[in-house]
Amino acid sequence: MPAILDDAASPTIYRLSGEAPYPDPANPAVPPTILPRHVTLRDRQTVATVVPFASRHDVPESLLRYLSDQFNKEIEGGDTYPMLEPLPFDKFASYWFQNFGGIMLLGHIESATEVAEGKDWSKECLGTFYIKPNYPGRSSHICNAGFIVTDASRNRGVGRLMGETYLDWAPKLGYKYSVFNLVYETNVASCKIWDALGFKRIGRVKGAGNLKSHPDRLVDAIIYGRDLGDAAGGAGGEELVSEERFDKIKFYLKYGRYPNGADRAEKSRLRSAATHYKLLDGDVLMLKDKEVISDPQRQYDIARSVHNQTHGGINKTTATIAERYHWSRIKETVSDVIRNSPAAVSRDYR
């Protein structure tokens, strides 16, 4: 889930604009308003904690080395981050935690001091992200972030939970607005998360990525922006958080109990939803006679398959999908598929 702009070897930029107090580079510290954030994963049972860190020196070295390895695997994958070569360990550690970082770990953790050596991080660590200024000087109150979801944590809702935590912590660090500079449009899962969390697509960079998965063409990148004055996680309506909502409905139907952390209003919504949805064998969620698809990548794959079969436009492809499947904003998914189709790409770059 990258959003970076700068070179990892560039000097550190600190926030110097916006409201005081400004961070002290000589004495990095986590603001008292930022505490470990306890979350529940997509299965609605597993508890994890996003732990804040102000410096690489507060993170156990073995954990740093594990995160460095995960980051370099992402670079070698060649589809999300723009770097061509892996980063040496020291360069990664200094870059990722140069301003502020969060690490998601399994379990209920009350303080960063509880995070110590001696753990199998491939099982304990779910992901990490950093927060830093996107621009220097007078515009350093505009922030940016980079995210890593670890190998063992795919499809568990980790990316979205870190995104929600980012929206909670960034304004507490004094930032007013967020810009993600380079999210390749083929990174469907990331785009879905930022769309759902209220980010706006404020720009498009044509042919920004020479990705390993698309050696025959250059891939566009989306520039995302969001005002950090809104409440964290505000997504502009229930339809934009469908993935999480459908997972909660599935949990309620499967186990007959409420997910961890459900409040009174959410319990009422789940009871109401149970009268409209049903759960079939294989954890297949149905809304009347339509299969509910909550996974963004599967939504994209279905839309691409239907488009390839029908060779129709947006409306025809959307209507065909809606006969069998249900998810929020099907038309937007179809639009992304058609924009990335070989025919559309050849028109753009001929």
Side-chain angles (χ1 to χ4, degrees):
M1 297 167 61
I4 66 170
L5 173 68
D6 59 342
D7 188 329
S10 300
T12 299
I13 299 173
Y14 296 99
R15 187 175 69 84
L16 300 173
S17 60
E19 296 178 4
Y22 303 125
D24 180 0
N27 296 287
V30 175
T33 54
I34 295 181
L35 301 172
R37 193 168 192 259
H38 304 113
V39 298
T40 305
L41 301 190
R42 180 172 290 164
D43 62 8
R44 303 302 152 196
Q45 301 180 83
T46 305
V47 174
T49 306
V50 190
V51 184
F53 292 93
S55 167
R56 61 172 289 186
H57 302 294
D58 299 329
V59 183
E61 182 174 331
S62 61
L63 177 52
L64 276 176
R65 291 191 177 277
Y66 173 70
L67 293 175
S68 176
D69 178 68
Q70 291 292 297
F71 181 70
N72 284 332
K73 283 184 178 180
E74 200 68 31
I75 291 175
E76 290 166 358
D79 282 327
T80 53
Y81 282 91
M83 293 89 158
L84 290 173
E85 300 295 333
L87 291 183
F89 167 69
D90 281 333
K91 185 173 289 186
F92 164 80
S94 297
Y95 173 73
W96 201 263
F97 293 95
Q98 61 184 292
N99 276 263
F100 178 92
I103 303 176
M104 185 186 290
L105 301 167
L106 284 177
H108 190 96
I109 299 170
E110 292 294 342
S111 169
T113 58
E114 297 178 24
V115 183
E117 298 284 3
K119 299 288 184 68
D120 182 351
W121 301 118
S122 66
K123 296 179 181 178
E124 299 290 329
C125 181
L126 306 178
T128 182
F129 65 94
Y130 67 74
I131 305 176
K132 62 184 289 295
N134 194 59
Y135 310 108
R138 299 183 188 280
S139 297
S140 56
H141 57 283
I142 311 296
C143 66
N144 170 260
F147 298 79
I148 302 171
V149 176
T150 60
D151 286 341
S153 306
R154 309 289 179 182
N155 301 314
R156 301 177 71 183
V158 170
R160 180 184 174 107
L161 289 169
M162 289 197 298
E164 292 175 351
T165 305
Y166 168 66
L167 290 176
D168 179 22
W169 287 353
K172 294 176 181 177
L173 290 166
Y175 296 107
K176 299 298 183 183
Y177 192 84
S178 171
V179 172
F180 294 164
N181 307 285
L182 200 70
V183 182
Y184 298 126
E185 66 177 358
T186 51
N187 191 348
V188 177
S190 290
C191 290
K192 288 286 187 180
I193 289 174
W194 304 131
D195 289 337
L197 290 178
F199 285 80
K200 305 299 182 184
R201 298 188 177 200
I202 61 174
R204 172 178 292 269
V205 185
K206 299 291 289 184
N210 182 13
L211 309 185
K212 282 191 175 181
S213 61
H214 294 79
D216 56 329
R217 66 180 177 92
L218 297 175
V219 172
D220 290 1
I222 307 298
I223 302 174
Y224 280 98
R226 190 189 195 280
D227 189 336
L228 296 175
D230 301 333
E238 183 75 6
E239 66 169 358
L240 299 183
V241 294
S242 60
E243 184 178 2
E244 182 176 17
R245 177 166 58 92
F246 291 146
D247 288 336
K248 289 180 178 180
I249 293 170
K250 186 182 293 185
F251 179 89
Y252 180 72
L253 291 173
K254 184 175 184 178
Y255 297 104
R257 55 189 176 88
Y258 303 112
N260 287 342
D263 58 19
R264 180 178 298 179
E266 188 169 61
K267 290 176 181 179
S268 176
R269 287 196 296 269
L270 288 171
R271 290 194 299 270
S272 175
T275 64
H276 302 286
Y277 293 84
K278 61 182 177 180
L279 192 64
L280 305 182
D281 292 341
D283 282 354
V284 176
L285 185 65
M286 302 292 293
L287 176 60
K288 297 182 179 179
D289 58 344
K290 299 178 182 180
E291 181 181 354
V292 175
I293 310 297
S294 61
D295 177 61
Q297 187 60 56
R298 190 171 173 220
Q299 293 171 0
Y300 189 89
D301 291 342
I302 289 172
R304 181 173 54 189
S305 176
V306 171
H307 174 63
N308 290 340
Q309 291 170 9
T310 63
H311 301 288
I314 292 179
N315 292 335
K316 180 180 178 181
T317 305
T318 301
T320 302
I321 294 171
E323 291 175 0
R324 293 183 54 196
Y325 302 103
H326 172 77
W327 69 79
S328 297
R329 305 169 80 186
I330 293 177
K331 194 169 186 177
E332 182 176 298
T333 307
V334 172
S335 177
D336 289 342
V337 165
I338 292 177
R339 187 184 301 114
N340 287 319
S341 67
V345 170
S346 64
R347 287 196 300 271
D348 287 342
Y349 295 104
R350 64 187 175 187

